């Protein structure tokens, strides 16, 4: 295997790297094609995925184009040299620190930075500029899990590993849509079920794809998880299922925690009332948990992104501690991390309530870090957490902000306010790879630093099971883009700290980080990577995935912790936590009678700056949408595909309606992905309330009181062009990547006449094929230059929606279109017969094609795969295929 730093030349041997999306941390083999692209496949030797990749990982090759990249440093929209940009950042930070104190300078970082980037940012801010205000998008993601770990274990330690998922007999998924968000781990869970009969329980107010696949789905009332797990603790205590010995020898605080649990949910009936679940379901779940020793409770954002997120997580951990089911094969609470390096950020201390290397602010720890860094301005206490940080910016208290690897104008709750706050800064510095993000365009005088992106940079990431893997470069740096750690170090040197920021490469940064983790650490701190503190450059280059802790002299990392009952509290005992009774922070009202939940879809990643480039990934869900229960939809007068206006006290959006019995009555769900760059009114972050958890400071993103009303427009349709164009003012639109062009799915109060005029404005030189039926409100046109298709526009009355799916196929080729094809395009019929909405992103198979195979006799996922290849690569769509099978094969009512 070639593990050298490669160049642009095509490689026979692939480069081993790690997927830049979710916290599963799959190994990827990348083969550059010599033209700036690469093909990717799963690394069979990586212990997270053993060769598999999900739809997003498989499509990484489609996201490497340099369109929209930031290629040069810019100040106020003008290209400048690196020297100039870095001098300017340093000078402005120095001036602001001088005039207003160092606390007027802040950093907002990301769980998508590499550990080396993160380490340098943290060191610069907390040791050398002297500002504690360093927070990260991990505040919106993992901070409740971190806080819960610390309360229970005395340290932010994930006790288990992925093999526990393979070896469990019961997998409880709480607030996790793993089928879509951790697809490769979910496939491991399904494998465990096939192999050992593992039962899967999903607990979520929505019946997601995960809930569909689970053996047992608990459609819990939003925010009521603490009640469910309090009820479980009481049940375990009363049915003699406690591990009394473990409790006595290795824990503290059991009695008060049990008393509190009793006060919240004394029995099954009370638990059922609080969670909205039928008693029988609560009982089944309690029985399963009680009688199955090998149980892993995996949790994600339905737990963390909550105004009681920390209590939710501790209520779960309490049940594992009470049964001693922790740190042993197939057992334990398991926080599924979101971002590829959520864990690495925690390791360096990139959160405002941490100092460095899992150390906090005891005087001894502060002094230790100060001595290790030889820091002139070490901070001595916590900084502001994300939500308060942006409020401090709004108030003018923080004057300079460096945003790195995150897009807060989209992803922060109350995103409108956050965007306005960015405009109040004296200085906004942004390191970015993509030029069109909402944050980057929030003001026109930002200092923009071009960052290397995935495939171009070198460093490490840590996945959900504490496993550190290398991300390796296999592409040339585009333009003048540089690594994030390099920019930070250059600013550090310019601020006069030459020696402290003198690393020659990422390996050197990593060694220092590993050394700090082991510095004066005789087993008192969980995070110890000192075994790698002297790793030579060549070994770092070739390093294979390894789990921490990895102390000096250790032969290998550790898969599990805490089986010995030794925790990182002062007395080495774990703590039970007496949790609070759940109350939702934002009660519904007459004006806002619904509860808006937000989250993710299968094929998109966050704010679309990367997956938005892939035609395959953009097909599964092409427009911003809102899920609603059929009864609610009927009452309000909304049908599938209609447009609806969703409002909360904080903002509003216009979204396409998806009617689904998977939604709870009274609940709405909308994905977080669309921004102002990719839609006219789909930026859902603006709607989220963001009340923070009192312990972790993590904002609530799953339950905001909301209203929904129909927002009909006269016409629906699409506008497809070869290069991107803007939709006319007043149109509703969403942008979707397609092969050979740029797609807008649109709605408007305009009709055929305005549409015809628009085509002529857009393509003044072109020839047209057109069909117009003004009486019926129908217009379809294609524009040709020298016989080549350059644009297509179709509008029809809202109920009839012209097929974007069918039309986009005509743009795949740059060749002349045959007259028959021209006619087909204008007739509004697909050339090939509609494939329906995309289901399998890997082999581009639509719903109708799959239904065709089922009707032709395919009776299983395997048979469908054999007939049309759907589901045979990454498997992310298998749950959807199973659902189609179930619906088609269900006996029809007599
Ligand atoms: N496809 C895709 N995968 C991703 C990402 C992506 O953008 N796209 N992002 C990655 C990141 S950073 C993260 S953090 C993870 C997130 O992964 P997940 O946490 O699995 O994803 P979400 O959709 O945010 O939320 C999970 C579920 O929580 C449920 N929920 C809401 N309220 C409650 C509640 O009160 N109780 C319970 N029990 N459940 C509730 C929601 O209905 C939702 O189905 O995904 C990672 N993987
Ligand atoms: N309503 C709602 N909001 C949410 C959530 C939700 O469930 N609902 N989930 C929250 C969670 S869990 C998360 S993790 C966040 C995610 O939200 P964000 O982190 O804001 O989303 P991304 O789109 O991943 O932003 C990453 C940015 O970094 C840029 N980038 C890519 N590579 C590099 C690089 O190497 N260096 C630099 N400097 N930049 C790079 C990308 O172009 C992109 O603009 O959203 C949070 N917000
Ligand atoms: S599960 Fe998918 S997105 Fe997550 S790391 Fe693996 S390939 Fe990447
Ligand atoms: Mo996240």
């Amino acid at each position: 295997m070639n593990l050298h730093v490669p160049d642009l030349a095509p490689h026979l041997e692939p480069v081993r790297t790690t997927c830049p999306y979710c916290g599963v941390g799959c190994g990827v083999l990348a083969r550059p094609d010599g033209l700036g692209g690469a093909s990717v496949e799963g690394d069979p030797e990586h212990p997270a995925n053993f060769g598999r990749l999900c739809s997003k990982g498989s499509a990484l090759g489609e996201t490497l184009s340099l369109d929209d990249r930031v290629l040069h440093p810019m100040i106020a929209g003008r290209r400048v040299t690196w020297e100039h940009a870095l001098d300017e950042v340093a000078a402005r930070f120095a001036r602001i620190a001088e005039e207003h104190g160092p606390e007027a300078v802040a950093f907002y970082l990301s769980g998508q930075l590499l550990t080396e980037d993160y380490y340098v940012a943290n060191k610069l801010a907390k040791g050398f500029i002297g500002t504690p205000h360093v927070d990260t998008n991990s505040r919106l993601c993992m901070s409740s899990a971190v806080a819960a770990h610390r309360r229970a274990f005395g340290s932010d330690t994930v006790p288990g590993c992925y093999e526990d998922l393979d070896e469990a007999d019961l997998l409880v998924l709480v607030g996790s849509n793993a089928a879509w968000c951790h697809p490769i781990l979910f496939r491991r869970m399904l494998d465990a079920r096939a192999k050992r009969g593992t039962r899967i329980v999903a607990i979520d107010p929505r019946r997601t794809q995960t809930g569909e696949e689970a053996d047992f789905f608990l459609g819990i009332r939003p925010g009521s998880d603490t009640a469910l797990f309090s009820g479980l603790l009481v049940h375990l205590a009363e049915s003699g299922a406690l591990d009394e010995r473990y409790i006595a020898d290795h824990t503290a605080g059991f009695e008060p925690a049990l008393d509190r649990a009793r006060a919240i949910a004394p029995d099954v009936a009370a638990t059922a009332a609080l969670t909205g679940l039928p008693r029988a379901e609560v009982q089944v779940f309690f029985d399963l948990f009680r009688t199955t020793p090998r149980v892993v409770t995996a949790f994600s954002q339905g737990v963390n992104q909550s105004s009681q997120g920390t209590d939710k997580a501790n209520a779960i951990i309490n049940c594992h501690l009470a049964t001693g089911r922790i740190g042993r094969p197939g057992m334990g609470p398991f926080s599924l991390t979101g971002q590829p390096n959520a864990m690495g950020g925690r390791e360096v201390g990139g959160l405002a309530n941490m100092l460095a290397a899992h150390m906090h602010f005891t005087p001894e720890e502060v002094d230790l870090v100060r001595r290790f860094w030889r820091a002139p301005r070490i901070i001595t206490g916590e900084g502001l957490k994300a939500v308060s940080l942006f409020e401090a910016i709004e108030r003018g208290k923080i004057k300079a902000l460096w945003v790195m690897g995150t897009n807060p104008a989209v992803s922060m709750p109350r995103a409108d306010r956050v965007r306005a706050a960015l405009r109040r800064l004296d200085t906004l510095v942004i390191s970015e790879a993509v030029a069109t993000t909402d944050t980057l365009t929030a003001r026109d005088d930002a200092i923009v630093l071009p960052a290397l992106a995935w495939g171009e940079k070198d460093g490490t990431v840590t996945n959900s099971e504490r496993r550190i893997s290398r991300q390796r470069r296999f592409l040339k740096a585009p333009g003048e883009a540089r690594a994030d750690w390099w920019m930070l170090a250059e600013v550090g040197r310019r601020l006069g700290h030459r020696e402290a920021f003198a690393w020659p490469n990422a390996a050197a940064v990593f060694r220092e980080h590993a050394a700090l983790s082991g510095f004066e650490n005789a087993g008192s701190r969980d995070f110890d990577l000192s075994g790698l503190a002297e790793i030579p450059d060549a070994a770092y280059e070739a390093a294979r995935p390894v789990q921490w802790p990895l102390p000096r002299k250790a032969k290998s990392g550790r898969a599990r912790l805490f089986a010995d009952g030794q925790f990182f509290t002062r007395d080495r005992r774990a703590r039970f936590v007496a949790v609070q009774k759940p109350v939702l922070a934002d009660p519904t009202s007459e004006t806002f009678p619904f509860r808006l939940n937000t989250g993710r879809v299968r094929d998109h990643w966050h704010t679309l700056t990367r997956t938005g480039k892939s035609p395959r990934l953009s097909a599964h869900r092409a427009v911003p949408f809102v899920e609603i229960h059929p009864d609610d939809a009927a009452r309000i007068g909304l049908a599938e595909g209609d447009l609806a206006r969703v409002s909360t006290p904080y903002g509003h959006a216009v979204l396409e309606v998806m009617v689904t019995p998977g939604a709870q009555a009274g609940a709405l769900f909308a994905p977080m992905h669309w921004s102002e760059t990719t839609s006219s009114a789909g930026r859902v972050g603006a709607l989220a309330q963001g009340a923070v958890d009192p312990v972790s400071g993590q904002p609530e993103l799953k339950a905001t009181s909301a209203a929904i009303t129909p927002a009909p427009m006269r016409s629906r349709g699409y506008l497809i062009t070869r290069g991107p164009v803007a939709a006319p003012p007043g149109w509703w639109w969403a942008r979707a990547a397609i092969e050979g062009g740029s797609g807008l799915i649109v709605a408007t109060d305009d009709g055929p006449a305005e549409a015809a005029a628009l085509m002529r404005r857009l393509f003044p030189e072109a020839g047209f094929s057109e069909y117009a039926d003004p009486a019926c409100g129908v217009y379809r046109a294609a524009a040709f230059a020298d016989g080549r298709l350059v644009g297509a526009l179709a509008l029809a009355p809202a109920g009839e929606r012209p097929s974007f799916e069918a039309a986009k196929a005509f743009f795949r080729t740059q060749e002349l279109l045959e007259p028959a094809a021209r006619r087909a395009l204008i007739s509004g019929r697909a050339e090939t017969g509609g494939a329906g909405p995309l289901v399998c992103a890997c082999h581009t198979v639509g719903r109708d094609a799959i239904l065709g195979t089922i009707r032709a006799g395919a009776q299983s996922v395997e048979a469908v795969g054999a007939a049309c290849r759907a589901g045979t690569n990454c498997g992310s769509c298998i749950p959807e295929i199973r659902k189609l099978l179930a619906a088609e094969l269900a006996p029809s009512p007599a």
Side-chain angles (χ1 to χ4, degrees):
M1 187 83 17
N2 181 352
L3 294 173
H4 304 300
V5 173
D7 55 32
L8 251 191
H11 275 262
L12 295 176
E13 289 298 325
V15 176
R16 279 215 153 92
T17 183
T18 310
C19 177
Y21 296 124
C22 82
V24 177
C26 296
V28 169
L29 300 177
R31 283 189 178 78
D33 60 11
L35 303 166
S39 63
V40 299
E41 59 189 323
D43 179 352
E45 290 172 30
H46 197 288
N49 58 317
F50 300 105
R52 286 168 164 173
L53 293 178
C54 77
S55 50
K56 293 181 295 304
S58 308
L60 273 166
E62 287 178 30
T63 63
L64 301 175
S65 85
L66 299 183
D67 306 347
D68 289 345
R69 279 293 295 270
V70 186
L71 295 172
H72 308 283
M74 316 267 274
I75 300 181
R78 292 207 1 260
R79 182 171 166 183
V80 296
T81 61
W82 266 114
E83 283 300 309
H84 181 88
L86 295 164
D87 286 349
E88 191 70 19
V89 175
R92 292 212 213 168
F93 279 19
R95 175 179 54 76
I96 288 168
E98 175 76 36
E99 285 173 12
H100 306 279
E103 303 208 350
V105 177
F107 290 75
Y108 188 57
L109 310 174
S110 165
Q112 295 170 70
L113 295 172
L114 304 182
T115 299
E116 291 75 4
D117 302 324
Y118 234 134
Y119 177 83
V120 177
N122 198 55
K123 178 177 179 183
L124 175 63
K126 292 182 181 167
F128 291 79
I129 293 177
T131 175
H133 303 316
V134 180
D135 212 35
T136 137
N137 63 3
S138 286
R139 181 70 54 200
L140 321 179
C141 183
M142 305 317 310
S143 58
S144 293
V146 174
H149 288 157
R150 291 199 60 224
R151 286 205 299 190
F153 311 143
S155 59
D156 175 21
T157 318
V158 173
C161 60
Y162 292 165
E163 278 165 14
D164 294 330
L165 305 173
D166 309 333
E167 294 172 18
D169 295 315
L170 177 63
L171 291 165
V172 183
L173 291 165
V174 194
S176 154
N177 186 7
W180 279 9
C181 296
H182 297 92
I184 296 303
L185 283 188
F186 192 65
R187 290 202 67 192
R188 282 177 78 155
M189 298 181 202
L190 297 182
D191 287 351
R193 175 161 75 186
K195 243 183 258 151
R196 58 188 291 144
T198 304
R199 273 153 309 171
I200 301 175
V201 177
I203 303 174
D204 192 311
R206 298 159 65 212
R207 189 188 282 268
T208 60
Q209 215 50 254
T210 307
E212 295 278 350
E213 284 286 294
D215 299 282
F216 190 45
F217 169 70
L218 294 176
I220 195 173
R221 179 175 295 155
S224 65
D225 306 72
T226 349
L228 182 66
F229 286 90
S230 295
L232 177 59
L233 188 66
V234 175
H235 172 77
L236 294 169
E238 287 178 358
S239 54
L242 299 176
D243 186 338
E244 307 277 4
R245 208 172 168 149
Y246 191 87
I247 295 173
D249 291 352
H250 302 303
T251 71
F254 178 68
E255 287 304 330
L258 180 61
D259 288 348
R260 186 66 64 74
R262 277 209 175 96
I264 295 170
D267 52 29
V268 170
T271 310
L274 288 167
T275 55
L277 296 167
R279 267 195 225 193
E281 288 187 7
V282 173
Q283 191 64 57
V284 171
F285 171 58
F286 286 1
D287 289 344
L288 267 177
F289 195 101
R290 188 190 71 245
T291 56
T292 318
R294 283 178 175 245
V295 50
V296 172
T297 309
F299 59 96
S300 190
Q301 299 312 352
V303 168
N304 297 339
Q305 278 172 353
S306 153
S307 50
Q308 305 94 33
T310 312
D311 270 1
K312 285 184 178 184
N314 280 117
I316 292 169
I317 295 170
N318 282 348
C319 295
H320 279 271
L321 288 173
T323 46
R325 294 173 187 165
I326 189 165
R328 288 149 63 197
M331 301 180 196
F334 199 97
S335 149
L336 295 171
T337 56
Q339 300 179 89
N341 202 26
M343 294 283 272
R346 287 146 68 166
E347 288 151 23
V348 304
L351 287 157
N353 51 325
M354 299 173 153
L355 178 54
H358 278 205
M359 282 178 276
H360 295 79
F361 296 99
T362 65
E364 303 79 50
E365 288 172 323
V366 170
D367 188 56
L368 185 156
V369 177
R370 183 188 61 76
R371 284 183 286 116
F372 181 85
W373 279 344
R374 298 204 189 94
R377 272 187 285 280
I378 192 81
I379 59 157
T380 54
E382 295 188 6
L384 294 171
K385 298 168 181 164
V387 172
S388 331
L389 180 77
F390 282 95
E391 283 167 3
I393 293 170
E394 194 174 48
R395 288 198 308 275
K397 204 172 147 254
I398 286 171
K399 312 238 174 251
L401 177 71
W402 190 336
V403 176
M404 190 169 259
T406 173
N407 192 1
V410 182
S411 58
M412 278 290 292
R414 302 204 202 182
D416 287 342
R417 218 172 126 181
V418 165
R419 199 175 41 177
L422 291 172
R423 300 199 182 107
R424 295 224 44 203
L425 287 160
D426 173 301
T427 293
L428 174 62
V429 182
I430 306 178
S431 346
E432 245 300 339
V434 174
T436 51
T437 74
D438 286 15
T439 302
L440 203 147
T441 52
R443 55 191 281 167
D444 45 27
D445 64 349
I447 303 182
V448 179
L449 305 175
L452 293 177
W454 183 76
E456 301 155 2
K457 56 195 291 185
D458 266 305
T460 54
V461 290
T462 309
N463 72 5
S464 296
E465 60 163 358
R466 291 174 276 104
R467 190 179 296 279
I468 300 172
S469 298
R470 282 292 318 273
Q471 269 198 20
R472 292 188 174 87
R473 176 167 95 93
F474 57 88
L475 296 170
K476 209 174 81 172
E480 293 181 275
R482 302 297 305 254
D484 291 298
W485 72 262
W486 176 88
M487 307 170 196
L488 290 154
E490 286 292 324
V491 169
R493 288 203 280 269
R494 280 168 171 75
L495 289 172
H497 313 298
R498 304 215 137 263
E499 266 173 44
F501 294 89
W503 308 281
N505 54 22
V509 179
F510 181 83
R511 285 190 289 269
E512 182 177 312
H513 161 61
L516 172 56
S517 76
F519 187 60
E520 297 177 11
N521 181 2
S524 55
R525 310 196 303 264
D526 66 331
F527 179 61
D528 188 342
L529 205 56
S530 49
L532 298 176
E534 272 131 46
I535 185 173
D537 285 3
Y540 176 83
E541 201 39 63
R544 308 306 300 261
V546 61
Q547 279 173 294
W548 66 258
L550 188 75
R552 215 172 289 276
K553 299 211 177 83
K555 291 254 171 353
S556 61
R558 263 172 71 188
R560 298 181 183 87
L561 289 96
F562 305 148
D564 57 1
Q566 295 297 298
F567 294 86
F568 290 94
T569 49
R570 287 205 187 272
D571 59 9
R572 292 280 172 180
R573 285 167 178 270
R575 294 287 184 281
F576 284 91
V577 177
V579 297
Q580 304 292 322
K581 185 172 179 163
V583 191
L584 279 177
D586 185 23
T588 52
S589 63
E590 227 168 274
T591 330
F592 298 106
F594 285 86
R595 229 171 242 308
L596 175 67
N597 174 6
T598 63
R600 295 158 169 78
V601 303
R602 190 190 76 189
D603 288 354
H604 270 315
W605 179 259
H606 296 166
T607 70
L608 297 190
T609 65
R610 290 181 290 166
T611 51
K613 285 185 166 187
S614 158
R616 273 195 290 162
L617 298 182
S618 301
H620 179 244
R621 293 285 184 272
V623 297
F625 63 90
V626 56
E627 289 179 3
I628 184 169
H629 188 272
D631 295 346
D632 290 331
R635 192 164 41 79
I636 296 168
L638 284 170
E640 178 81 9
D642 284 357
L643 292 182
R645 184 185 161 94
V646 179
S647 350
T648 69
Y650 318 101
H652 70 267
V654 178
L655 307 169
E656 196 174 278
V657 172
M658 192 177 276
V659 180
T660 164
Q664 237 173 50
L668 305 173
F669 172 83
M672 62 167 290
H673 303 294
W674 279 268
S675 64
E676 225 123 89
T677 314
T678 49
S679 69
S680 59
R683 195 162 123 275
V684 162
L687 279 68
Q689 156 222 30
V692 297
D693 176 280
V695 187
S696 68
Q698 177 152 357
E700 172 72 74
L701 293 168
K702 301 296 194 220
T704 306
S705 65
I708 179 167
T709 49
M713 288 189 124
R714 175 181 167 197
S715 314
R716 298 290 298 273
Y718 57 77
L719 170 60
I720 307 177
T721 47
R722 289 289 177 190
V725 295
W731 285 33
W732 179 91
W733 56 268
R735 197 175 286 289
I738 62 167
E739 266 179 82
S742 177
L744 288 174
I745 296 166
V746 301
T748 167
D749 283 325
D750 286 346
E754 292 87 354
L758 172 64
M759 280 303 263
R760 277 157 184 82
R761 247 194 346 268
L762 285 173
F763 306 103
E765 315 271 290
F768 293 97
S769 293
E770 274 178 309
Y771 170 86
D773 182 348
C776 295
V778 174
Y779 176 78
R780 289 190 289 270
F784 296 89
D786 300 327
R788 283 181 176 74
L789 180 63
V790 290
L793 168 64
L795 290 185
E800 286 171 32
R801 291 200 285 164
S803 169
F804 174 73
E805 285 299 313
K808 73 182 188 189
F810 293 92
F811 283 78
R812 272 191 211 132
T813 169
Q814 301 277 350
E815 302 294 305
L816 296 179
L817 276 193
E818 297 295 328
R822 281 187 181 219
R823 280 196 301 278
L825 175 55
I826 294 308
S827 74
R829 276 180 283 111
E831 208 181 14
T832 51
L838 187 81
V839 175
C840 172
C842 296
H843 294 304
T844 326
V845 189
R847 185 197 59 202
D848 296 353
I850 293 171
L851 287 175
T853 67
I854 301 172
R855 287 172 194 149
Q859 301 234 346
S860 64
V861 169
E862 292 71 28
V864 168
C868 68
R869 300 177 75 204
T872 55
N873 183 46
C874 81
S876 306
C877 64
I878 288 177
E880 271 153 275
I881 298 175
R882 224 190 288 280
K883 203 170 160 189
L884 293 174
L885 276 163
E888 272 306 295
L889 301 179
S892 46

